[in-house]
Amino acid sequence: MDDVIVIGGSFAGLAAALQLGRTRRKAIVLDTGLPRNRFAAHSHGLLGHDNRPPAEILELAHAQLAQYPSVRFVHGHAVRASGAIDDFTVALDSGEVLSARRLLLSYGRTDHFPDMPGFAECWGNTVVPCPYCHGYEIAGEHWGLLYHSPMSLHMPPLYNHWTDKITLFTDGHELPDDDRQSLQARGVQLVDGKVSAIRHDGGKLSSVVLEDGSAIELHTLFAHPRSTPSSDLHETLGVTMAASPVGEIVEVNERFQTSLPGVYAAGDLANPMSSLAVATHAGAMAGIFAQQSLIV
Ligand SMILES: Cc1cc2nc3c(=O)[nH]c(=O)nc-3n(C[C@H](O)[C@H](O)[C@H](O)COP(=O)(O)OP(=O)(O)OC[C@H]3O[C@@H](n4cnc5c(N)ncnc54)[C@H](O)[C@@H]3O)c2cc1C
């Protein structure tokens, strides 16, 4: 039996695996190779890796982890997880069944793109979610924001750190008058009407098209598609969930432990702040706390 099975071997999962390898724990990392930021050409804000392609950061991590013989990587899809502390079982879609004393869930979240032509093609590069990740390079330019929920109204004041040219596409949502007034007082241009398509050239956004046929020229659109956990293993395990601004996340305590003893969680699955720095920190700490819990 292994010490820990890590389900999801991207930024959080590999950070956990590094700690487990360095403490000579037997760990298996399962991964399907679909990190959330795989659409982005470059990643920003992770110390030592700023402006690197996400896949390159993960490749470097894999190369370094290869030095730790107690850590095994399996390219595989975990489809079932069950058991209790000291005796967990994880089944893969290949039919292989693995067992370990601890589980670490780091399978992230999946973004569900709206049914809007052009959105998917531009996602990650010119239709983007996060100003901390993408803002610096386009500071001072004209930014668009696609309304998704009342949370969107908090974005323009944040975006003002980078630019004062902001257009909010209400996408057919009614905004309260006082919100409209305070946005307009900030210089935010409001465009009403439903967005019907994103016009682009090979993923380079050129304009946002409205249902009435009009188009607003623009090169960057911020958007926050609905996201859900990338697997339902936390449901079958029965761990407690918590509400968050991005939807339900796995609830963890300060030791990254879920409500089910022996099960840890880290990364976007357990934190609404989607960031490599946050995910690698959480993964490393979850790995350390899982390892410490094995000390007799
Ligand atoms: C377009 C975009 C750009 C971004 N740019 C930046 C940026 O520049 N800087 C920054 O700090 N953050 C950025 N982020 C946020 C960053 O991508 C996430 O915070 C980070 O990927 C979270 O890491 P994670 O390990 O929790 O999840 P992920 O990286 O999503 O990894 C989850 C892993 O689990 C695997 N998996 C899922 N289900 C299973 C299963 N059942 N069995 C086995 N494996 C499974 C997946 O294949 C995946 O490899 C960006 C996000 C997006 C969407």
Side-chain angles (χ1 to χ4, degrees):
M1 180 181 291
D2 279 278
D3 291 320
V4 183
I5 298 175
V6 178
I7 307 178
S10 170
F11 299 95
L14 294 183
L18 182 58
Q19 300 302 330
L20 292 165
R22 292 190 58 75
T23 49
R24 306 194 300 169
R25 289 291 177 184
K26 277 184 73 188
I28 299 187
V29 182
L30 307 175
D31 191 50
T32 45
L34 297 171
R36 191 174 185 184
N37 59 351
R38 64 190 178 281
F39 305 93
H42 292 91
S43 163
H44 297 104
L46 183 64
L47 189 65
H49 296 288
D50 198 37
N51 202 29
R52 262 187 212 261
E56 200 176 294
I57 304 174
L58 291 171
E59 266 169 43
L60 276 168
H62 271 285
Q64 293 177 345
L65 278 158
Q67 296 177 57
Y68 298 95
S70 66
V71 179
R72 177 159 81 95
F73 295 90
V74 176
H75 184 83
H77 188 188
V79 289
R80 268 190 317 283
S82 57
I85 189 161
D86 288 329
D87 187 16
F88 290 106
T89 299
V90 175
L92 301 185
D93 60 350
S94 62
E96 191 178 356
V97 177
L98 305 164
S99 56
R101 296 171 62 197
R102 302 287 182 270
L103 289 185
L104 201 156
L105 311 180
S106 47
Y107 43 76
R109 299 180 75 81
T110 298
D111 295 302
H112 303 280
F113 303 144
D115 187 16
M116 188 182 285
F119 188 101
E121 291 86 339
C122 295
W123 179 243
N125 294 301
T126 54
V127 176
V128 292
C130 161
Y132 296 95
C133 307
H134 309 278
Y136 184 85
E137 287 70 21
I138 50 167
E141 294 182 12
H142 180 190
W143 294 13
L145 169 63
L146 186 63
Y147 182 95
H148 69 106
S149 75
M151 280 283 293
S152 306
L153 304 176
H154 299 290
M155 298 298 164
L158 175 65
Y159 295 177
N160 279 154
H161 290 283
W162 290 272
T163 189
D164 55 7
K165 287 174 238 142
I166 301 170
T167 297
L168 172 62
F169 295 89
T170 63
D171 198 21
H173 294 89
E174 288 291 328
L175 301 192
D177 281 345
D178 49 345
D179 286 328
R180 294 182 76 91
Q181 279 158 16
S182 65
L183 286 164
Q184 280 163 337
R186 283 194 158 266
V188 177
Q189 190 197 351
L190 297 178
V191 174
D192 292 312
K194 234 178 145 26
V195 173
S196 63
I198 307 283
R199 212 174 268 154
H200 67 100
D201 180 11
K204 274 188 138 183
L205 170 64
S206 54
S207 58
V208 173
V209 185
L210 298 163
E211 257 180 9
D212 66 6
S214 59
I216 312 287
E217 196 182 317
L218 200 67
H219 301 298
T220 307
L221 179 68
F222 283 81
H224 305 93
R226 188 176 71 85
S227 72
T228 52
S230 296
S231 167
D232 60 4
L233 297 177
H234 53 278
E235 285 175 21
T236 49
L237 285 164
V239 304
T240 301
M241 303 297 284
S244 91
V246 300
E248 281 207 315
I249 55 172
V250 170
E251 187 174 280
V252 290
N253 65 15
E254 66 290 349
R255 297 176 76 85
F256 296 90
Q257 205 179 330
T258 70
S259 60
L260 186 63
V263 179
Y264 295 76
D268 283 7
L269 179 64
N271 194 316
M273 182 78 191
S274 181
S275 137
L276 300 187
V278 172
T280 50
H281 158 78
M285 296 314 295
I288 286 172
F289 288 125
Q291 174 269 328
Q292 288 182 355
S293 76
L294 289 160
I295 297 168
V296 282

